[in-house]
Amino acid sequence: MTKLPVGFIGLNGRGRGLLNQVLAMDDIDVKVICDKVPERLELAKKACEDAGKPADATLIDEEVAARSDIEAVIIPSSWNDHIPLAIMAMRSGKYAAIEVGPAQSVDQCFDLVRTYEATKVPCMLLENCCYGEAEMTVLNMIKKGLFGEVVHCAGGYQHDLRILGSQYDEGKERAYHYMHRNAELYPTHELGPIMSFLNINRGNRMLSLTATASKARGLKEYVRKNLPADHPLQNMEWRLGDIVTTVIKCAGGETIQLTHDTTLPRPYSRGGRVDGTQGIWMEDKNAAYIEGRREGESWEPFENFKAEYGHPLWKAYYSEGVRGGHGGMDYLVLRAFLHAVRRQIAPPIDAYDTAAMMSISCLSEKSILLGSMPVEIPDFTNGRWIKREPAPDSIFALDKVDEALFENLESL
Amino acid sequence: MTKLPVGFIGLNGRGRGLLNQVLAMDDIDVKVICDKVPERLELAKKACEDAGKPADATLIDEEVAARSDIEAVIIPSSWNDHIPLAIMAMRSGKYAAIEVGPAQSVDQCFDLVRTYEATKVPCMLLENCCYGEAEMTVLNMIKKGLFGEVVHCAGGYQHDLRILGSQYDEGKERAYHYMHRNAELYPTHELGPIMSFLNINRGNRMLSLTATASKARGLKEYVRKNLPADHPLQNMEWRLGDIVTTVIKCAGGETIQLTHDTTLPRPYSRGGRVDGTQGIWMEDKNAAYIEGRREGESWEPFENFKAEYGHPLWKAYYSEGVRGGHGGMDYLVLRAFLHAVRRQIAPPIDAYDTAAMMSISCLSEKSILLGSMPVEIPDFTNGRWIKREPAPDSIFALDKVDEALFENLESL
């Protein structure tokens, strides 16, 4: 098999992590890497060399887009650059994969979709949690009808990131967003899987949302206790509320509740929950209850469901060997993208999904600004969601993606 | 000690349960019982006789209010009658205790408060969950500063009541509400404790809310599977969404998230959660995480906190002997009310608290009707919440209630 030539833009810690995972793939050739910070570029260059796969290195992102010898660009850049860089790559005919993060405006999300429609070049949000083992097990349980009709889903990004929130050197942009934006800043880890559960953009869509933010106290107290008394952050008033609660209403009548919780002490959880007419899953219980499987109203360990309803992709993955970061999800989401690039087909998470998912940040910001007013969520598909078939190889089209990704896994 | 003379209005199953608990108290004399349904009245009359404490029985509630030989009326009537009967009792100079349930209008909540202000006769919502062992342990943990500054609370009434939702004979009024009202119909079990956590009406208040309802599918599927094909409910379109999510913003900057979930299969949970700058409690984990108590980010079993921070009231209660329904909560809430009556002092949950808690149902209904628009929550105290001291013997005034309730417990 010929090697698939790709480029990278954005080589912060996360970017280098993804780079290393791609360098480990025998069928992928990293031709060019780019970062505007020389020190980061140097580290990435060394990683390529250490892997025995030296790559060209540049400080100028346009040079990556201009390359005629690559078919895709992987963009783990800073949040502000995700969509602009993806658009640049797509305009130059290259599939774009962007790391997760919030959009900076709804207009920007429209630009992404319009670029896709004008160029026909796809882009994909690398939402690794769509490929999480628990999430895919739940997706499979939904498809098999275990929950009956799903009416509600919930999830959160609940991760104590106070240390990142208080670091604002170059490349630590999260702190800047926390200082300036009161919003659901990181919705995609839980919303990506929920969109697959609810067939969003493929027979369903998100109609409107409200968002409400608590006061911002976590970082203030953290800085007071952990940084020197004369540190400039001692006087900072962060705009981001500690807990941001967002409630989304869908065309199919389902509701989605999201929690952004990253500036208070707590153990990590994405707090997944699915409620249907026949049962409920709760990530925080590590259990589900499906009516009729047991006597009485008791939670059943999720392990049982993994064993019985584990997603075929994950079953194959276990036999091939789970690898890469974040429990194996990173590898799967990268392979799903690269698989689409090689076959020149639509990626499982496409421009419409990317725009819808990323727009939630800006829309929640607007709702909070307006005192939790309901805000419409644009229909980025312009009505096509109603009849739109599941994309080929989509995680939303379970059978097809299985086949394709098995093939992929077997080729390694 | 002289026996405290009381009356009862409303003797459905729950009413008779409370009656039996009061009949078991040596220092209380049930003088008169009332229900408009003769069969229910007969059952209650027999319960009094079986307890060796025969009581007068009447079908006419005005006759209870007219009695000159009682000091309080306990009202576990149907939801629609709670506030009107309480007002009637208060106007005739009798302390009123009402069972939990939704208000039928915000105006009705104002009437309750105005009646209290005009007559100076108190009323109290019998919110037993304010006296739950877990809730009081958490309250104690908050007062002791374990959570740091509290910024967010959550809870739900998550209880599979499909069987009640599909029964609509006399006295099974829940089904009628489910047919006709799309609202957070039962907020008080979780909101009562949360109001104590956040000092609502005593230095803080609830400012506004949004509410969003999912589609209504649970009862439809339940009826289809469990009732005869020609049953009239087969054609029912319930208005109550299966999951109703309400988000409240408080004057102190805290947020509260409520979930009403009673028409889908699931194990029971009130889903309590408290987030503060130093830690988090999650009822569904049966655990808390308080920064610095342990290495790493791991949940600590709630049993540890019960042992270390169990509320003094519950410690005394254990040594005296936990009794009565719902794990002992019912007894405590009844005693708190009766204690206030005997001493002619303010009850721990007063007219302002009752109005605020019960109004959430109507306000959530309005928000849902208006597409999740934010709706203001009235300040029933007319500004007094700002400087209002914790009421004597309030569960909000921890030390005082302890002393008073210990005294009470010791007298038994």
Side-chain angles (χ1 to χ4, degrees):
Chain A
M1 199 184 328
T2 58
K3 292 196 175 189
L4 184 70
V6 304
F8 267 82
I9 304 177
L11 295 160
N12 52 19
R14 175 62 176 159
R16 294 195 299 278
L18 288 179
L19 174 65
N20 281 324
Q21 294 184 60
V22 172
L23 288 170
M25 298 175 186
D26 289 341
D27 60 342
I28 310 295
D29 197 3
V30 179
K31 292 276 190 193
V32 55
I33 57 174
C34 169
D35 197 292
K36 60 190 171 189
V37 181
E39 294 72 24
R40 295 202 300 225
L41 189 59
E42 205 49 50
L43 285 170
K45 200 165 154 48
K46 185 161 182 314
C48 294
E49 285 156 7
D50 289 350
K53 298 180 168 181
D56 297 339
T58 172
L59 295 161
I60 314 294
D61 49 39
E62 286 89 345
E63 288 186 7
V64 177
R67 298 278 289 225
S68 59
D69 62 343
I70 58 173
E71 293 189 31
V73 185
I74 295 168
I75 304 167
S77 68
S78 64
W79 289 354
N80 284 354
D81 296 334
H82 280 160
I83 291 181
L85 289 173
I87 288 173
M88 186 177 71
M90 292 157 78
R91 284 195 181 135
S92 68
K94 289 151 190 82
Y95 272 60
I98 57 181
E99 245 305 339
V100 299
Q104 309 310 316
S105 70
V106 175
D107 193 51
Q108 188 182 47
C109 298
F110 273 112
D111 281 350
L112 187 76
V113 164
R114 288 185 191 116
T115 301
Y116 164 65
E117 291 178 342
T119 63
K120 311 286 183 213
V121 178
C123 72
M124 173 171 166
L125 189 75
L126 291 175
E127 186 32 78
N128 54 359
C129 297
C130 288
Y131 291 89
E133 188 182 9
E135 286 87 345
M136 291 198 86
T137 301
V138 170
L139 177 62
N140 200 28
M141 290 166 68
I142 291 172
K143 301 286 180 191
K144 303 279 189 210
L146 259 75
F147 292 100
E149 184 173 351
V150 174
V151 302
H152 178 75
C153 296
Y157 187 61
Q158 304 178 129
H159 189 182
D160 179 359
L161 294 175
R162 288 173 299 169
I163 190 162
L164 294 182
S166 66
Q167 291 172 345
Y168 59 123
D169 51 322
E170 183 67 34
K172 295 286 179 6
E173 62 176 350
R174 193 179 287 266
Y176 288 99
H177 286 264
Y178 284 20
M179 287 172 193
H180 295 284
R181 300 179 69 185
N182 198 3
E184 166 48 270
L185 277 179
Y186 214 63
T188 72
H189 277 341
E190 68 272 23
L191 185 56
I194 290 171
M195 282 173 62
S196 71
F197 300 161
L198 298 180
N199 300 309
I200 298 298
N201 290 338
R202 294 169 172 88
N204 199 359
R205 85 172 187 90
M206 298 185 287
L207 288 179
S208 65
L209 65 76
T210 60
T212 308
S214 78
K215 57 187 166 188
R217 290 292 187 276
L219 280 171
K220 217 170 168 61
E221 190 165 316
Y222 179 85
V223 165
R224 187 172 54 77
K225 288 185 179 169
N226 294 284
L227 297 186
D230 60 351
H231 194 284
L233 282 184
Q234 295 291 357
N235 298 316
M236 178 58 58
E237 295 293 336
W238 279 269
R239 301 226 176 112
L240 176 67
D242 288 324
I243 305 274
V244 176
T245 305
T246 301
V247 184
I248 297 171
K249 182 104 192 200
C250 299
E254 303 88 349
T255 45
I256 303 170
Q257 191 250 311
L258 308 179
T259 304
H260 187 265
D261 170 7
T262 66
T263 50
L264 298 171
R266 60 160 298 142
Y268 181 91
S269 169
R270 293 199 293 277
R273 172 173 171 167
V274 171
D275 289 272
T277 53
Q278 290 175 26
I280 176 171
W281 165 62
M282 275 194 77
E283 181 180 343
D284 281 325
K285 300 292 289 188
N286 195 26
Y289 169 75
I290 303 294
E291 197 170 27
R293 276 175 66 97
R294 293 182 152 198
E295 286 294 309
E297 287 181 343
S298 65
W299 291 99
E300 183 173 350
F302 195 65
E303 288 307 319
N304 290 11
F305 297 98
K306 270 193 195 165
E308 200 171 337
Y309 293 97
H311 194 283
L313 175 63
W314 266 89
K315 286 187 180 163
Y317 194 23
Y318 270 119
S319 73
E320 296 282 338
V322 174
R323 67 205 84 172
H326 290 112
M329 306 189 298
D330 290 355
Y331 176 80
L332 287 182
V333 76
L334 284 167
R335 292 308 299 182
F337 172 69
L338 296 167
H339 173 77
V341 179
R342 186 182 286 280
R343 283 168 183 70
Q344 297 287 298
I345 56 176
I349 299 166
D350 67 8
Y352 300 112
D353 304 326
T354 301
M357 236 186 292
M358 292 180 74
S359 73
I360 298 303
S361 300
C362 307
L363 297 167
S364 66
E365 197 167 12
K366 180 172 175 179
S367 178
I368 289 168
L369 190 67
L370 297 174
S372 302
M373 282 282 280
V375 169
E376 67 167 317
I377 301 173
D379 171 15
F380 293 102
T381 73
N382 278 325
R384 285 184 285 255
W385 65 271
I386 298 173
K387 295 190 179 178
R388 208 156 157 255
E389 292 291 314
D393 303 284
S394 167
I395 59 158
F396 306 98
L398 205 66
D399 299 334
K400 289 181 188 161
V401 72
D402 292 350
E403 190 188 26
L405 277 165
F406 291 157
E407 206 181 300
N408 229 27
L409 284 164
E410 282 159 16
S411 75
L412 294 173
Chain B
M1 200 181 332
T2 58
K3 292 196 179 192
L4 185 69
V6 304
F8 267 83
I9 304 177
L11 295 160
N12 53 19
R14 175 62 177 158
R16 293 194 300 276
L18 288 179
L19 173 65
N20 281 324
Q21 294 183 59
V22 173
L23 286 170
M25 298 174 187
D26 289 342
D27 61 341
I28 310 296
D29 197 2
V30 178
K31 291 276 190 193
V32 56
I33 57 174
C34 168
D35 197 291
K36 60 190 169 190
V37 182
E39 294 72 23
R40 296 203 300 227
L41 188 60
E42 203 51 48
L43 285 169
K45 198 164 155 48
K46 187 162 180 315
C48 293
E49 284 157 8
D50 290 351
K53 298 179 169 183
D56 297 338
T58 172
L59 296 162
I60 315 295
D61 48 39
E62 286 88 346
E63 288 185 6
V64 177
R67 298 278 291 225
S68 59
D69 61 344
I70 57 173
E71 292 187 31
V73 185
I74 296 168
I75 304 167
S77 68
S78 64
W79 288 355
N80 284 356
D81 296 334
H82 280 159
I83 290 181
L85 289 174
I87 289 174
M88 185 176 72
M90 292 155 79
R91 284 195 181 137
S92 67
K94 289 150 191 84
Y95 272 60
I98 58 182
E99 247 304 338
V100 300
Q104 309 310 315
S105 71
V106 176
D107 193 51
Q108 188 181 48
C109 299
F110 273 112
D111 281 349
L112 187 76
V113 164
R114 288 185 191 116
T115 301
Y116 164 65
E117 291 177 343
T119 63
K120 311 287 185 214
V121 178
C123 72
M124 173 171 166
L125 190 75
L126 291 175
E127 186 32 78
N128 53 358
C129 298
C130 287
Y131 290 88
E133 188 183 8
E135 287 86 345
M136 291 198 86
T137 302
V138 170
L139 176 62
N140 200 29
M141 290 166 69
I142 291 171
K143 301 285 179 190
K144 303 280 189 211
L146 259 76
F147 293 99
E149 184 173 351
V150 174
V151 302
H152 178 75
C153 296
Y157 187 61
Q158 304 178 128
H159 189 182
D160 179 359
L161 294 176
R162 288 173 298 169
I163 191 163
L164 294 182
S166 65
Q167 292 173 344
Y168 59 122
D169 51 323
E170 183 65 37
K172 294 287 179 3
E173 62 176 350
R174 193 180 285 266
Y176 287 100
H177 286 264
Y178 284 19
M179 287 173 194
H180 295 284
R181 300 179 69 185
N182 197 3
E184 167 48 91
L185 277 179
Y186 214 63
T188 70
H189 277 340
E190 68 273 23
L191 185 55
I194 290 171
M195 283 173 62
S196 72
F197 300 161
L198 298 179
N199 300 310
I200 298 298
N201 290 337
R202 294 169 173 86
N204 199 358
R205 85 172 187 90
M206 299 186 286
L207 287 179
S208 66
L209 64 77
T210 60
T212 309
S214 78
K215 57 188 166 187
R217 290 292 188 276
L219 280 171
K220 217 170 168 59
E221 190 165 316
Y222 179 83
V223 165
R224 187 172 56 74
K225 287 184 178 169
N226 294 286
L227 297 186
D230 60 350
H231 193 283
L233 282 183
Q234 294 291 356
N235 298 316
M236 178 57 59
E237 294 292 337
W238 278 269
R239 302 227 174 109
L240 176 67
D242 289 324
I243 305 274
V244 176
T245 306
T246 300
V247 184
I248 296 170
K249 182 103 191 199
C250 298
E254 304 88 350
T255 45
I256 303 171
Q257 191 249 310
L258 309 179
T259 304
H260 187 264
D261 169 8
T262 67
T263 50
L264 298 171
R266 61 160 297 142
Y268 181 91
S269 170
R270 293 199 293 276
R273 171 172 171 168
V274 170
D275 289 272
T277 53
Q278 290 176 26
I280 177 172
W281 165 63
M282 274 193 78
E283 181 181 342
D284 281 327
K285 300 292 287 186
N286 195 25
Y289 169 74
I290 303 294
E291 196 170 26
R293 276 175 65 97
R294 293 180 154 201
E295 286 295 307
E297 287 181 343
S298 65
W299 291 100
E300 183 173 349
F302 195 64
E303 287 306 319
N304 291 11
F305 297 97
K306 271 193 195 164
E308 199 171 338
Y309 293 97
H311 193 283
L313 175 62
W314 267 89
K315 287 189 180 162
Y317 195 22
Y318 271 119
S319 73
E320 296 282 339
V322 174
R323 65 204 86 171
H326 290 111
M329 304 189 298
D330 291 354
Y331 176 80
L332 287 182
V333 75
L334 283 167
R335 292 308 299 183
F337 172 68
L338 295 167
H339 174 77
V341 179
R342 185 182 287 279
R343 283 167 183 70
Q344 296 287 299
I345 56 176
I349 299 166
D350 68 8
Y352 301 112
D353 304 326
T354 300
M357 237 187 288
M358 292 181 74
S359 74
I360 299 303
S361 299
C362 307
L363 297 167
S364 66
E365 197 167 13
K366 180 172 176 180
S367 178
I368 290 168
L369 190 68
L370 297 173
S372 303
M373 282 281 279
V375 170
E376 68 167 315
I377 301 173
D379 170 15
F380 292 102
T381 72
N382 278 325
R384 284 185 285 256
W385 65 271
I386 298 173
K387 295 191 179 177
R388 208 156 156 256
E389 291 292 315
D393 303 286
S394 167
I395 59 159
F396 306 97
L398 208 64
D399 299 334
K400 289 181 188 160
V401 71
D402 292 351
E403 189 188 27
L405 277 164
F406 291 157
E407 205 181 299
N408 229 25
L409 284 164
E410 283 159 14
S411 74
L412 294 172

